[in-house]
Each structure stands twice: as C-alpha cells, then as structure tokens.
C-alpha cells in the first residue's frame, strides 16, 4: 500500500546511473568538509572526482550542453568566485576546480536532475539515520571507539559514524553527523525538510527532523520555522494549528531560557543568548574589534566595491574568530562578488519560478548571511540549484518529486 501511495504521489524518472551518482555524492561530501576527507587535499580530490563525474555523465548522455540559462548561471558564479579571489594564478585555478561541479549539475537534463535529487535525499537520510542511532547509543553510555584530532582551530572526537566537538558550555553533546559544525549540519537538515515539504508521512523527514533537534542549533531551529511559513500560509486548515504550536514553543523557550533556575534549555542555549547592552554577547558573528573597525573606518573608506582585504589581513592577522557574517565578506572582497553570487541565484530562480522556490531562496540567503564561508562549500549551492529546479518543476506538472 505504501509503495502504491508513493508511486501516485511522486513523479517517476529515469533512474540516475549509479557510477555517476557515486562520483557526485563524493564531491558533495568532500565539498561540505565532512570528517572523512579533512586530511586529504580537497582540490586534488574534487578535481579527480569531478572528472569522473563528467566522464560518467557524458558516457550516459546525461548532460544537455545547449542550455543558456544554466551556463549563464554558472558564469555568474564564476565571476563571483574570481572577483572575490585575492591570490595568485594557483588560487584562481583552485577556486575553478572547487566550483566546476556546479556546471556539470546545472547541465544535467531535467529528468536526471530530479532523479539525482531523489537519490541524494534517500542516501543522506539513510546515512543520517545510521549516524544518529550511533550518537544516541553514545549518549546512553554505550562505549564506542574514537580518536581525537585537530583540524585548523577545531578539536574533534571522531567516532567514525559521527564526530563531536567537545565543549564545556553545554549540558549534552551536540549532534553534527560528520560535519565540522553542528550549525551547518542543522541548516542542511532544514533544506532537506523543506524540499520534502515538511511531509511527516515520510520517514526521511523524521530522520532529518530528529537530527536537527539534536544539533541544538539556534539557526537551524529558526530556519526550520521560517521554512515552514509558506506551507502554513498555503494551507488554511493548518494555519491556526501551526501558529498556536509556534507561539507555544516560542513562549516556552523564552520563559525557560529567562528562568533564574537552571534547566535543560538554559544549559543548552543560555550561553548563546546572553544579552549585553541590547545585543547578544556570546552569539555574535563578528568580534567587537571588527565591529569597531567596520563601523568607524571601513564604512567611510569608500572601498565597498572590492573591499579592503589587505587592510583586513593587517588588522586581524591571527584572529581566527574575527567574524563570519556577510559584513566580513564585504570588508574583505566588496559587494561586487556578492552581486554576482546572489545575482546568479536570483537569475536561476527567475527562470525557474515557484511559490516555494522564493522561500527556499530566502532561507538560503539568510544561511549565507549567517556565515559566508559556506558559500563555496559547493554542495550547498548545488543543493540550492537542484532544489529551485525541482520546486519549479513540481509546480509545472502538479506532482511531487520528493
């Protein structure tokens, strides 16, 4: 009965070739800085995997080269990458290697784009389910083997099926799958939940939801409810129910977090929700020194177009925590790269319009504002372009893809 339900509900496509999918999925994992590949040169690995993906796609005739929208979209991404690059020839060649998989995904024939997204959704759900099960066993005290190692400014305990960033600030360890940060992973779960239309009849959505809950990511929680908005607005029957649940959860969260007595909410979130002089003191995306320099020096310098990376490096050399929001990106590289980057996203949406697609763009844009470094974790823009095309296609045919 369930198989019949899924067949009626979901549009069927030509199965995506396994060889090509494996190459793509490895590119996806490598680009998102997952723990399996942190110690391997990402440029070399993505370059080799991209070549394998291209050759496999060509042999199966998956690509459609006569698509001006897709090539124009990639060209804007390329201009964004190059105008934001401050390096020698090797740097320009390296950034091209990192983003070239986006072109191959954009050039996929529509049928294969949909099939690829279906398979990606299923595989990620299975991997998250296995990892989350192991993580819960760990929380219950089951001894699991692990190794500790450092990567850049991070310290990880790698349990192979998941990793943990040890912290003294939280009552429980946060689930981050094999990602370097639970916040990035939590936001990824929101994107998959959104593309599945918050359909809790599907086991994949429950896996993504439970994984999100265990990240204790404020950004993930906020984006979850923001992404829920269009599905509530377009469904008048559930509008009051979801509004009531949201108000109840938000009210309970604010009450518990503001409580003078210690509870689970204060232990997991109060560290990031301490207010000082009207602003969050421990959840800022930039440091006070950057705020002062940005507001009092950079804003009046007239260097908005291409930034002032040389001055930025001179001012904040050695400060790994200087900031990650888009103001830092503007200070370093200017607004021109952002105009190309977001211009490509908007252009692709305008050519693939849908009601849900606009909300998908909004959530993605806010995600990038939260931390600009993930803009070139190329798995994220790949998911954006696949998602925008899928949402538009669903609106065209009146059937579900995921």
């Amino acid at each position: 009965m369930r198989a019949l339900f899924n067949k009626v509900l979901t549009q069927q496509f030509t199965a995506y070739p396994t060889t090509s999918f494996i190459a793509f999925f490895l590119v996806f994992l490598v680009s998102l800085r997952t723990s399996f590949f942190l110690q391997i040169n990402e440029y070399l690995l993505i370059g080799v995997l991209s070549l394998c993906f291209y050759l496999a796609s060509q042999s199966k005739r998956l690509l459609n080269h006569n698509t001006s929208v897709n090539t124009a979209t990639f060209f804007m991404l390329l201009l964004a990458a190059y105008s934001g690059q401050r390096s020698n020839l090797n740097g320009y060649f390296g950034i091209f290697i990192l983003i070239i998989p986006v072109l191959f995904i954009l050039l996929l024939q529509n049928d294969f784009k949909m099939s690829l997204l279906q398979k990606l959704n299923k595989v990620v759900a299975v991997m998250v389910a296995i990892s989350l099960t192991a993580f819960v066993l760990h929380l219950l005290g089951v001894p699991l083997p692990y190794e500790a190692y450092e990567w850049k400014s991070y310290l990880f305990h790698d349990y192979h099926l998941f990793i943990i960033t040890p912290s003294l600030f939280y009552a429980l360890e946060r689930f981050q799958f094999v990602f370097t940060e639970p916040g990035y992973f939590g936001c990824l779960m929101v994107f998959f939940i959104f593309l599945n239309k918050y359909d809790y009849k599907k086991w994949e959505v429950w896996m993504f939801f439970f994984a999100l809950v265990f990240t204790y990511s404020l950004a993930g929680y906020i984006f979850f409810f923001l992404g829920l908005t269009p599905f509530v607005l377009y469904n008048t029957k559930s509008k009051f129910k979801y509004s009531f649940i949201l108000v109840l959860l938000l009210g309970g969260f604010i009450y518990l977090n503001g409580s003078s007595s210690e509870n689970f909410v204060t232990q997991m979130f109060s560290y990031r929700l301490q207010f000082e002089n009207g602003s969050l003191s421990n959840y800022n995306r930039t440091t006070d020194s950057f705020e002062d320099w940005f507001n009092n020096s950079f804003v009046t310098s007239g260097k908005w177009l291409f930034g002032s990376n040389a001055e930025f490096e001179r001012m904040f050399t050695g400060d790994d925590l200087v900031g990650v929001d888009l103001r830092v990106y503007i200070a370093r590289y200017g607004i021109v790269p952002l105009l190309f980057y977001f211009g490509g996203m908007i252009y692709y949406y305008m050519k693939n319009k849908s009601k849900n697609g606009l909300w998908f763009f909004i959530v993605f844009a806010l995600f990038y504002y939260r931390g600009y470094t993930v803009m070139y974790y190329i798995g994220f823009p790949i998911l954006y372009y696949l998602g925008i095309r899928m949402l538009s296609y669903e609106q065209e045919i009146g059937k579900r893809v995921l």
Side-chain angles (χ1 to χ4, degrees), residues 297-309:
S297 178
F298 178 78
V299 168
T300 58
S301 68
K303 298 178 181 178
W304 286 81
L305 289 180
F306 292 98
S308 183
N309 191 56

Side-chain angles (χ1 to χ4, degrees), residues 107-337:
L107 291 179
L108 284 174
Q109 297 181 42
N110 191 64
D111 205 43
F112 292 114
K113 278 191 177 83
M114 302 302 103
S115 178
L116 174 62
L117 193 53
Q118 286 179 339
K119 188 168 288 189
L120 177 64
N121 183 71
K122 186 76 68 177
V123 170
V124 171
V126 170
M127 291 184 66
V128 168
I130 295 171
S131 178
L132 186 58
T133 301
F135 178 74
V136 172
L137 290 175
H138 166 71
L139 292 181
L140 293 174
V142 177
L144 299 175
Y146 77 92
E147 59 178 321
Y149 63 87
E150 293 183 9
W151 180 75
K152 295 186 176 180
S153 60
Y154 296 90
L155 171 63
F156 298 123
H157 288 177
D158 190 344
Y159 290 83
H160 308 299
L161 293 177
F162 63 92
I163 62 176
I164 286 174
T165 305
S167 173
L168 301 175
F169 298 114
Y170 306 114
L172 284 180
E173 293 159 320
R174 300 171 65 189
F175 181 57
Q176 58 194 82
F177 187 31
V178 289
F179 276 53
T180 55
E181 292 191 15
Y184 293 152
F185 173 66
C187 292
L188 179 67
M189 293 297 93
V190 173
F191 299 146
F192 276 107
I193 293 171
F194 187 102
L195 293 176
N196 282 277
K197 318 298 180 305
Y198 288 77
D199 182 3
Y200 287 96
K201 296 184 182 71
K202 301 178 63 177
W203 71 268
E204 295 95 334
V205 174
W206 280 109
M207 288 300 101
F208 299 143
F209 176 75
F210 284 131
L212 170 62
V213 169
F214 277 99
T215 64
Y216 304 106
S217 166
L218 284 172
Y221 291 175
I222 292 170
F223 291 159
F224 173 85
F225 286 107
L226 178 62
L228 183 61
T229 303
F231 303 103
V232 174
L233 292 177
Y234 305 145
N235 188 343
T236 55
K237 292 183 180 179
S238 62
K239 189 179 297 186
F240 175 78
K241 178 178 67 175
Y242 282 116
S243 299
F244 175 76
I245 293 173
L246 175 59
V247 171
L248 188 65
L249 289 174
L250 183 60
F253 181 84
I254 293 174
Y255 172 77
L256 290 173
N257 189 69
S259 174
S260 58
S261 60
E262 190 172 278
N263 56 67
F264 183 75
V265 172
T266 58
Q267 291 174 332
M268 295 304 297
F269 296 101
S270 62
Y271 165 69
R272 290 169 284 168
L273 290 174
Q274 294 177 20
F275 285 87
E276 185 176 307
N277 299 323
S279 63
L280 290 173
S281 60
N282 285 316
Y283 197 59
N284 293 339
R285 309 304 292 173
T286 58
T287 60
D288 291 339
S289 58
F290 172 82
E291 296 277 346
D292 181 67
W293 174 78
F294 184 85
N295 294 327
N296 299 316
S297 178
F298 178 78
V299 168
T300 58
S301 68
K303 298 178 181 178
W304 286 81
L305 289 180
F306 292 98
S308 183
N309 191 56
E311 182 180 356
F312 180 92
E313 292 286 351
R314 186 171 63 253
M315 291 286 296
F316 304 107
T317 297
D319 187 356
D320 295 330
L321 303 177
V322 64
V324 292
D325 72 21
L326 282 185
R327 290 175 300 167
V328 177
Y329 189 88
I330 291 172
R332 299 189 68 176
Y333 311 118
I335 63 173
V336 169

Side-chain angles (χ1 to χ4, degrees), residues 26-77:
L26 289 174
V27 168
F28 186 77
L29 291 179
V30 173
S31 71
L32 295 181
R33 309 294 198 276
T34 50
S35 62
F36 306 125
F37 308 104
L38 290 180
Q39 310 300 331
I40 304 175
N41 186 303
E42 66 173 328
Y43 297 98
L44 176 62
L45 197 51
I46 289 182
V48 171
L49 291 171
S50 296
L51 178 62
C52 294
F53 175 70
Y54 175 75
L55 293 176
S57 300
Q58 280 287 78
S59 66
K60 298 292 184 179
R61 297 182 180 179
L62 308 181
L63 303 180
N64 178 11
H65 297 286
N66 300 316
T67 52
S68 59
V69 171
N70 296 320
T71 51
T73 299
F74 177 76
F75 185 63
M76 281 188 270
L77 177 62

Side-chain angles (χ1 to χ4, degrees), residues 78-115:
L78 186 63
L79 288 176
Y82 278 4
S83 59
Q85 182 69 26
R86 301 290 184 270
S87 185
N88 53 24
L89 185 61
N90 288 337
Y92 289 100
F93 182 65
I95 193 67
F96 180 78
I97 289 176
L98 292 185
I99 68 175
I100 192 63
V102 177
L103 177 62
F104 301 150
I105 294 299
L106 287 170
L107 291 179
L108 284 174
Q109 297 181 42
N110 191 64
D111 205 43
F112 292 114
K113 278 191 177 83
M114 302 302 103
S115 178

Side-chain angles (χ1 to χ4, degrees), residues 73 76-77 339-349 384-385:
T73 299
M76 281 188 270
L77 177 62
L339 291 175
F340 285 129
Y341 192 97
F342 285 100
M345 292 176 67
I346 294 170
Y347 173 74
Y348 195 76
Y349 162 73
Y384 170 78
Y385 291 123

